[in-house]
């Protein structure tokens, strides 16, 4: 295996626009790049004919460095020529793993650095290695650290913030100079090539620099409360981490405005050294959330140089495609998915498929243990690369080395779990749907979550019908606003999945391709936000389940998450009276009482994660439940955690069911929901296939829908 892999500068692009391709290969190779169709599930992408070959010839691919790990760089004034300096900050190591807490860096490299040993000691080191002095620095505890530098001498001081313990200090001889510009690095130091290395896992707060040797009493001022570091004699710089938390900017409150930057997206808007229990909203007292949590595996941008740029033809039909890269003399290849929109809104077709790309991103590079010991694609080369390349970053289901949850993920890196042929989840499951639509000759455009997040209702407006993928789990507030507005205008939505519209995420206009999720307030989740960490840094609003935030999916699509079980799926049973209702067209040509008794996911159409109709949570009284799986699931399918209010799990639970519903909306529109992630795996079932055809054909017809239509 030559370890060829890549990523694109964006996932969604209009026909006629261009895509930037970033590639890496273990050894330098020549490769050919083309575009293949991924809209059909049975396509052999390795040998499929190209739908477009850009005029690139052979491109050269070589190894690339991935700068994983977050840190910060704080500049000092270029004119600074001080004989003495005091660098102070508040530190909380969160894992027994060594790393650089802070470093003073000059034009010739690192002058001094503070090295956390991982065993409770802070070392003052000259350059990169030689230890000159050390003091105790306990893990999981906030401590004030100060390094004072004077001609020929260095003084290192440390004391726990919330302790009456005396300051521990040590001094040593040290020769240092301030000639040339200086920077303070936090949570890493530059290596010989200027790359960040030796990353620190922990929280840092209140860094400041004074052009003087501060007395212990002056350093002790930090104990009095937040913001005190931005004062004192001979102040050079004092950075405030409680402001502009949605950005990578670190604001300096000192006299020289030496604003710094973070790299690779550390976690901000977290409780700092002065946080008080019970304070959950950072907007009330921002200074108590003035820490930054750095991790050695943070990654927002792989930062590989662009290998090639593909100019797509304006005549390219909207669809799901893959940029294929094949290396000369080897069967190895990589296929990077992309979603091509119509050339312009005027060229849009009435029917559109909405790819749940934010959910793909949330699960991107997630461990395969989530999906059980066996699944298709387990031996795919992309899965092998994911296991041996932790430098490609994790998912919203991953944990950092200190066991805190990963809350920020980005598409600016290879996402190996969305390669064709890998795992029956997300992208591959949705190719079953797009392949079925192709076989039935439906003409449709493609949209992505990010299109709606960025463009709002304008992304949906050209289309009469939107079809979702099988697991649109992660949605932002602007996305929900856009979908609601479109539905109120007569739009028609076909929700072909389960556990949709579940977790709140956020994004920021200055960080395209990055999403955030703070897992608070119940729900099935791989990690739980710590107290005071439930608000998103990208928008300042609380995270968690949309249900807990007052926007349960039942209000939007008629059904919401009810239960899960991955061993065995069930069929639906047609509800008595459904055929005679205004929704009867859904069952035209379907004479059976049971639908979907076979399927690729657990042997049925209703399974994995399932949704039910619930008036109490906002399902419309005008909706028709066409079919239900109530009473047909085995004991391994259990009610979702946010509804288990007792320590005793219910048996023969009537709330564990998938409801297939049709809900009328304003303006002659409607929402058809299947309430099951396994539905798309049962499209070979004649009854399930006929139901979806009936719905799509009627929804594309502009005639009004509803009980009075």
């Amino acid at each position: 295996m030559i370890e060829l892999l890549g990523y694109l500068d964006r996932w969604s692009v209009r026909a006629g626009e261009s895509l930037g391709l970033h590639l890496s290969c273990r050894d330098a190779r020549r490769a050919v790049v083309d575009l293949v169709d991924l809209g059909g599930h049975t396509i052999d992408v390795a040998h499929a004919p190209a739908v477009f070959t850009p005029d690139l010839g052979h491109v050269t691919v070589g190894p690339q460095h991935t700068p994983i790990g977050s840190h910060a760089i704080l500049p000092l004034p270029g004119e600074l020529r001080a004989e003495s300096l005091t660098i102070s900050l508040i530190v909380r190591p969160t894992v027994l793993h060594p790393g650089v807490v802070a470093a003073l860096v000059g034009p010739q490299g690192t002058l001094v650095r503070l090295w956390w040993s991982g065993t409770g000691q802070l070392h003052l080191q000259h350059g990169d290695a030689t230890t000159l002095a050390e003091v105790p620095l306990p893990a999981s505890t906030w401590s004030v650290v100060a390094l004072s530098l004077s001609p020929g001498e260095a003084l290192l001081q440390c004391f726990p913030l919330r302790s009456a313990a005396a300051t521990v200090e040590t001094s040593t001889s040290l020769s240092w100079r301030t000639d040339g510009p200086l920077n303070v690095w936090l949570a890493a130091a530059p290596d010989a090539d200027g790359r960040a290395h030796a990353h620190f896992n922990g929280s840092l707060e209140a860094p400041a620099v004074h052009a003087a040797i501060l007395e212990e009493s002056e350093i002790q001022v930090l104990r009095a409360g937040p913001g005190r570091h931005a004062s004192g004699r001979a102040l050079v710089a004092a950075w405030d981490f409680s402001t502009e938390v949605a950005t990578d900017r670190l604001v300096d409150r000192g006299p020289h405005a030496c604003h710094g930057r973070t790299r690779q997206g550390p976690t901000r808007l977290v409780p700092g050294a002065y946080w008080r229990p019970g304070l959950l909203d950072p907007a009330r007292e921002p200074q108590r959330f003035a820490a930054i949590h750095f991790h050695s595996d943070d990654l927002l941008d792989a930062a590989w140089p662009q290998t090639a740029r593909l100019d797509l033809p304006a005549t390219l039909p909207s669809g799901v495609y893959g940029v294929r890269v094949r290396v000369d003399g080897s069967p190895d290849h990589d296929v990077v998915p992309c979603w091509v929109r119509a050339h312009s809104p005027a060229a849009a077709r009435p029917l559109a498929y909405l790819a749940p790309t934010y959910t793909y991103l949330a699960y991107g590079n997630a461990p395969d243990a989530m999906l059980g010991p066996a699944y298709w694609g387990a031996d795919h080369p992309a899965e092998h690369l994911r296991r041996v390349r932790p430098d490609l970053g994790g998912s919203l289901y991953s944990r950092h080395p200190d066991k805190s949850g990963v809350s920020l993920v980005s598409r600016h890196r290879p996402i190996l779990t969305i390669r064709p042929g890998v795992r029956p989840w997300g992208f591959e499951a949705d190719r079953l749907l797009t392949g079925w639509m192709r076989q039935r000759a439906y003409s449709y455009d493609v949209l992505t979550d990010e299109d709606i997040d960025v463009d709002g209702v304008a992304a949906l407006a050209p289309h009469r019908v939107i079809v979702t993928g099988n697991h649109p789990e992660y949605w932002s507030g602007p996305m929900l606003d856009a979908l609601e507005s479109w539905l109120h205008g007569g739009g028609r939505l076909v929700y072909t999945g389960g556990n949709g519209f579940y977790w709140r995420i956020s994004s920021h206009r200055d960080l395209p391709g990055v999403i955030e999720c703070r897992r608070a307030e119940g729900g099935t989740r791989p990690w739980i936000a710590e107290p005071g960490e439930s608000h998103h840094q990208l928008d300042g609003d609380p995270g968690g389940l949309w249900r807990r935030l007052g926007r349960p999916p039942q209000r939007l699509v008629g059904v919401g998450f009810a239960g899960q079980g991955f061993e065995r799926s069930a069929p639906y049973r047609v509800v008595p009276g459904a055929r005679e209702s205004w929704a009867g067209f859904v069952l035209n040509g379907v004479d059976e009482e049971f639908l979907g008794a076979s399927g690729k996911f657990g042997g049925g159409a209703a399974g994995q994660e399932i949704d039910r109709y619930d008036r109490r949570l906002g399902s419309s009284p005008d909706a028709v439940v066409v079919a239900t799986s109530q009473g047909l699931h085995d004991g391994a399918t259990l009610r979702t955690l946010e509804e288990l209010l007792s320590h005793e799990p219910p048996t023969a639970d009537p709330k564990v069911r998938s409801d297939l519903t049709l809900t009328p909306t304003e303006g002659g529109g409607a929402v058809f929901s299947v309430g099951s992630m396994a539905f798309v795996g049962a499209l070979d079932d004649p009854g399930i296939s006929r139901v979806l055809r009936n719905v799509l054909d009627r929804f594309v017809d502009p005639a009004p829908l509803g009980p009075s239509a």
Side-chain angles (χ1 to χ4, degrees):
M1 180 178 293
I2 63 172
E3 294 191 5
L4 170 71
L5 69 164
Y7 64 95
L8 299 169
D9 62 351
R10 49 181 169 162
W11 284 2
S12 175
V13 61
R14 286 196 180 275
E17 296 178 343
S18 62
L19 284 170
L21 177 62
H22 305 255
L23 296 174
S24 176
C25 187
R26 187 175 58 192
D27 306 309
R29 299 289 183 116
R30 282 163 36 101
V32 175
V33 178
D34 54 23
L35 196 71
V36 292
D37 184 356
L38 297 184
H41 184 262
T42 59
I43 294 173
D44 178 2
V45 295
H47 304 98
V51 297
F52 168 65
T53 302
D55 186 18
L56 299 174
H58 284 78
V59 298
T60 301
V61 185
Q64 301 294 346
H65 169 72
T66 306
I68 192 167
S70 60
H71 59 286
I73 301 177
L74 310 175
L76 296 180
E79 67 276 10
L80 179 66
R81 294 294 184 271
E83 289 190 358
S84 301
L85 284 180
T86 298
I87 303 171
S88 62
L89 73 161
I90 309 176
V91 183
R92 180 176 174 262
T94 56
V95 67
L96 300 180
H97 182 77
V100 173
V101 172
L104 184 63
V105 180
Q108 304 305 316
T110 301
L111 302 176
V112 293
R113 69 178 191 172
L114 299 178
W115 172 263
W116 158 247
S117 67
T119 58
Q121 298 291 320
L122 184 67
H123 297 252
L124 171 61
Q125 296 183 337
H126 182 261
D128 288 336
T130 306
T131 294
L132 304 177
E134 65 179 45
V135 295
L137 180 65
S140 304
T141 300
W142 288 104
S143 299
V144 175
V145 172
L147 172 64
S148 299
L149 301 172
S150 59
E153 186 177 17
L155 174 67
L156 180 61
Q157 298 172 285
C158 179
F159 55 87
L161 187 65
R162 293 183 178 86
S163 172
T167 302
V168 178
E169 64 179 52
T170 183
S171 61
T172 184
S173 61
L174 173 67
S175 176
W176 72 286
R177 300 169 60 184
T178 61
D179 294 344
L182 296 176
N183 294 290
V184 176
W185 282 53
L186 299 180
D191 64 12
D193 296 321
R195 296 171 173 172
H197 77 134
H199 290 85
F200 171 74
N201 288 276
S203 297
L204 303 178
E205 181 175 353
V209 175
H210 293 75
I213 302 299
L214 299 185
E215 300 293 335
E216 181 179 331
S217 60
E218 295 176 286
I219 298 172
Q220 291 275 12
V221 169
L222 286 172
R223 285 187 170 188
R228 301 302 178 92
H229 67 303
S231 61
R233 61 187 175 93
L235 177 68
V236 176
W239 291 272
D240 181 0
F241 292 171
S242 71
T243 188
E244 299 191 28
V245 296
T247 73
D248 63 356
R249 192 166 182 260
L250 301 174
V251 175
D252 173 25
R253 301 296 188 192
H256 303 286
C258 298
H259 308 305
R261 298 282 179 183
T262 64
R263 305 286 175 87
Q264 296 297 15
T267 306
R268 304 185 66 176
L269 207 66
V270 295
Y274 306 100
W275 179 75
R276 55 180 176 81
L279 179 61
L280 302 182
D281 185 358
R284 292 179 58 189
E285 298 183 59
Q287 287 292 330
R288 297 188 186 275
F289 295 81
I292 297 180
H293 195 164
F294 294 91
H295 307 94
S296 59
D297 61 345
D298 285 325
L299 181 66
L300 291 191
D301 192 343
W304 297 352
Q306 181 175 287
T307 305
R309 191 144 201 97
L310 286 69
D311 296 320
L312 302 181
T315 56
L316 187 68
S318 179
V320 185
Y321 294 94
V323 176
R324 181 174 59 186
V325 184
R326 291 179 289 184
V327 173
D328 285 355
S330 170
D332 285 10
H333 66 281
D334 193 17
V335 179
V336 187
C338 61
W339 291 263
V340 177
R341 302 173 67 183
H343 176 262
S344 68
R349 290 175 278 199
L351 176 63
Y353 160 65
L354 173 59
T357 49
Y358 277 168
T359 298
Y360 300 162
L361 184 52
Y363 285 92
N365 294 345
D368 49 26
M370 294 177 52
L371 304 179
Y375 55 88
W376 80 50
D379 297 324
H380 193 283
E383 285 285 33
H384 169 75
L385 281 177
R386 183 195 56 75
R387 297 181 190 113
V388 301
R389 292 291 302 270
D391 61 312
L392 301 181
S395 70
L396 291 178
Y397 290 78
S398 303
R399 290 175 181 262
H400 294 296
D402 59 9
K403 304 305 179 184
S404 59
V406 174
S407 59
L408 291 164
V409 291
S410 165
R411 57 171 167 75
H412 300 290
R413 60 193 173 112
I415 304 292
L416 300 177
T417 49
I418 60 169
R419 274 19 183 195
V422 177
R423 62 179 58 179
W425 190 274
F427 180 64
E428 275 299 273
D430 288 336
R431 289 181 68 212
L432 296 173
L433 173 63
T434 56
W436 178 90
M437 293 171 70
R438 165 172 295 174
Q439 291 172 357
R440 277 32 178 210
Y442 285 103
S443 177
Y444 62 92
D445 287 344
V446 165
L447 296 172
T448 70
D449 288 346
E450 192 170 354
D451 297 325
I452 303 176
D453 201 24
V454 173
D455 297 336
V457 71
L460 301 169
H463 310 287
R464 182 179 304 124
V465 184
I466 300 291
V467 181
T468 76
N470 90 314
H471 194 34
E473 182 178 6
Y474 290 84
W475 275 62
S476 70
M479 292 170 65
L480 292 180
D481 293 342
L483 187 58
E484 285 182 352
S485 178
W486 178 78
L487 286 171
H488 290 162
R492 291 138 185 228
L493 179 69
V494 182
Y495 167 36
T496 67
N499 186 214
F501 317 96
Y502 188 67
W503 284 108
R504 178 184 178 270
I505 59 168
S506 58
S507 61
H508 193 276
R509 64 182 181 277
D510 294 335
L511 293 170
V514 175
I515 61 172
E516 179 181 18
C517 180
R518 301 280 181 108
R519 298 190 185 276
E521 291 298 319
T524 302
R525 49 194 170 162
W527 53 267
I528 301 173
E530 293 295 324
E533 297 189 6
S534 61
H535 283 64
H536 288 201
Q537 68 189 63
L538 295 185
D539 64 8
D541 290 333
L545 302 184
W546 278 118
R547 172 175 173 168
R548 299 293 192 192
L549 297 169
R551 300 184 82 165
Q554 286 87 345
R555 284 180 44 188
L556 181 70
V557 295
V559 296
F561 194 27
Q564 59 187 153
F566 295 89
E567 295 180 9
R568 180 67 184 169
S569 298
Y572 298 95
R573 177 188 286 117
V574 174
V575 172
R579 299 181 190 276
E580 292 72 41
S581 72
W582 70 272
F585 71 88
V586 174
L587 298 170
N588 286 347
V590 180
D591 299 326
E592 307 90 55
E593 179 184 2
F594 291 93
L595 306 172
S598 63
K600 291 181 172 62
F601 303 145
Q608 294 195 333
E609 294 179 342
I610 54 177
D611 300 356
R612 74 165 186 271
Y613 175 90
D614 193 327
R615 288 280 301 278
R616 183 179 61 87
L617 291 173
S619 299
S620 170
D622 296 324
V624 175
V625 179
V626 176
T628 181
S629 66
Q630 182 175 339
L632 301 177
H633 293 280
D634 60 20
T637 301
L638 301 176
R639 195 188 305 184
T640 184
L641 289 178
E642 59 267 25
E643 294 194 340
L644 289 176
L645 305 180
S646 171
H647 69 283
E648 296 181 359
T651 57
D653 191 351
K655 290 189 174 183
V656 175
R657 66 179 190 269
S658 173
D659 290 331
L660 194 152
T661 63
L662 185 66
T663 304
T665 61
E666 300 175 22
V671 178
F672 176 74
S673 297
V674 307
S676 166
M677 284 178 58
F679 183 90
V680 299
L683 286 171
D684 289 338
D685 179 272
I688 292 297
S689 180
R690 184 58 185 265
V691 162
L692 188 55
R693 287 179 59 190
N694 289 340
V695 171
L696 287 180
D697 292 346
R698 180 63 184 86
F699 274 27
V700 171
D701 183 344
L705 287 158
S708 59

